[in-house]
Amino acid sequence: RRAGIATAPRFALQPILRLLSRDCASVIDVGTGLMHSLERSRVKVRIGLDAHRPYLTHRRVADAVPLNAPASALTELFVPGAVDLVTAIDVLEHFDAGDADGFLADAEQVAARRVALFTPRGHFPQEGHDAYDLGGEELQRHRSTWEPEDLTERGYAVVVLRGYHGPWNSSFVEAFGADAKPGDALVAWKDVTNPLRR
């Protein structure tokens, strides 16, 4: 651990996300896709927000609330402190760097307790790829790269998940080839002090 940055093996993602949600009764998962990240969530109230309606139509969590809207509408849809937790799993890299700052500010406003993120570390090109074959290629294009320091500078604690992306990921193989060395990923979180916390 150094300067708010720790390392962990690749399989630590789910345990970390469980720890980050254990004191939360509600969550908005932004860019939820098919709601894979809500499948294992133990949070009682689960909302999945995505700009691509076909993903929500084919969602994997029937009892989560699907909301078809872009991430940029977050503060138009939700008042400050609306939910305990805002998550963005495999989402940050889809924003331009400037838009990412706006999104993080909005997420921190809507969250009453915490914002949690997951993103590839460093350069990971992705264009013309839709893991779900539902026509969302443009939304899945990678537009920014992230290193641990990019998030710690914004007040986030970071865990580097070593070797998270590798030949088991079709997008990784497309970008780097099947024989490439696995790449790291980042899980990060920030506790917020929202004056309207319930």
Side-chain angles (χ1 to χ4, degrees), residues 11-147:
F11 56 80
L13 176 62
Q14 289 306 318
I16 291 170
L17 292 176
R18 273 196 301 275
L19 282 172
L20 294 173
S21 66
R22 70 180 174 187
D23 59 348
C24 298
S26 54
V27 58
I28 299 169
D29 185 43
V30 179
T32 196
L34 302 186
M35 296 188 178
H36 288 99
S37 55
L38 292 176
E39 276 186 300
R40 298 177 187 169
S41 174
R42 297 177 182 161
V43 176
K44 185 176 180 181
V45 176
R46 296 174 291 172
I47 303 166
L49 183 141
D50 204 284
H52 193 57
R53 190 178 186 91
Y55 292 160
L56 297 172
T57 302
H58 293 86
R59 68 188 181 277
R60 297 176 61 149
V61 183
D63 63 346
V65 177
L67 187 55
N68 182 212
S72 59
L74 197 59
T75 54
E76 296 170 27
L77 297 169
F78 297 97
V79 297
V83 295
D84 291 330
L85 177 65
V86 175
T87 58
I89 310 301
D90 268 328
V91 171
L92 204 57
E93 67 274 16
H94 301 290
F95 289 103
D96 293 324
D99 293 337
D101 280 329
F103 165 70
L104 292 175
D106 289 350
E108 291 165 21
Q109 184 177 345
V110 169
R113 292 185 179 276
R114 186 171 301 113
V115 175
L117 314 168
F118 174 75
T119 189
R121 179 183 190 180
H123 180 65
F124 188 152
Q126 179 172 284
E127 191 164 345
H129 179 83
D130 182 0
Y132 311 126
D133 294 323
L134 291 170
E137 292 86 352
E138 182 56 27
L139 292 172
Q140 290 197 29
R141 185 162 64 93
H142 289 184
R143 295 172 171 85
S144 58
T145 60
W146 298 87
E147 291 293 340

Side-chain angles (χ1 to χ4, degrees), residues 1-9 16 121 148 152 156-162 184-187 189:
R1 176 184 283 264
R2 60 177 174 77
I5 302 169
T7 59
I16 291 170
R121 179 183 190 180
T152 57
Y156 285 77
V158 177
V159 175
V160 177
L161 300 178
R162 297 183 305 267
D184 297 338
L186 308 175
V187 59
W189 64 94

